[in-house]
Amino acid sequence: MDGPIIAVDGPAASGKGTIAKRIAAEFHLPMLDTGLLYRAVAQHMVDHGLSLDDETAAERAARTFTIEWLVDERLRTRVAGEQASRVAKYQGLRVALRQFQQDFAHQPGGAVLDGRDIGTIIAPDAHAKLWIDADVKARANRRFRELIGRGEVVREADILADLMARDARDAPNMQIAPDAIRIDTTHLDVDQAVAEALAAVRRRVQT
Ligand code: C5P
């Protein structure tokens, strides 16, 4: 096989980003955080005075997406995540962002991608698929600590409400691949979650 394609999917703040980074480091693979693409398109729309409710404008913006858009610290904020989930429901936008992700996944040498639909839509042929989940309260607490650590002023109750709304909005585009290995990180610390994920990937990918 060419290098392996590893799909790491799951809801917001489940720990999938951290896990994907550690898998990429362990297997010496490039990694793409696909949430950033949706965040970048929404940010582009805001910067150009476009309404996030404008589906046609969202699709048009996604068609002009380039990798340079990802170099923007604002994309990591809570607001950017909310904006992203408002536009991610538009199928035209999702299709416009698909080729970029598929090219990244299928580059020679392999790749790790984290997102919501990597194992189902972007790379159903991935060699290893993980579905990372955790109880919504545990996810809210993690996201709260992460944002506070970055200097954002937020309340944990607001984060919980955001995540519940986000889960509901994202649900139609979050499908668990039938061949995904599911890892619940609610009661795991980062190292335990990473260890489980690495063991799961090794079972699917011969190195
Ligand atoms: O993962 P992250 O929180 O950065 O994603 C932001 C939003 O982008 C998600 O809430 C979801 O609406 C959307 N998204 C998506 N498909 C992906 C990655 C992100 O719909 N593969």
Side-chain angles (χ1 to χ4, degrees), residues 9 12-13 16 33-36 38-39 80-81 84-86 88 94 101 114-118 143 166 170 173:
D9 288 308
K16 64 184 186 315
D33 169 359
T34 62
L36 279 181
Y38 296 85
R39 290 169 181 251
S85 111
R86 285 178 57 194
R94 301 191 73 82
Q101 297 175 77
D114 86 71
R116 304 287 188 293
D117 59 352
I118 308 305
R143 182 52 55 92
R166 193 117 83 91
D170 290 349
N173 294 302

Side-chain angles (χ1 to χ4, degrees), residues 11-13 78 82 85 134-141 143 156-172 174:
R78 170 184 168 216
E82 285 305 298
S85 111
D135 174 79
V136 70
K137 283 196 182 141
R139 290 190 277 129
N141 181 260
R143 182 52 55 92
E156 190 166 348
D158 293 339
I159 304 284
L160 179 62
D162 280 359
L163 281 183
M164 287 165 71
R166 193 117 83 91
D167 284 354
R169 265 201 306 262
D170 290 349
M174 279 206 293

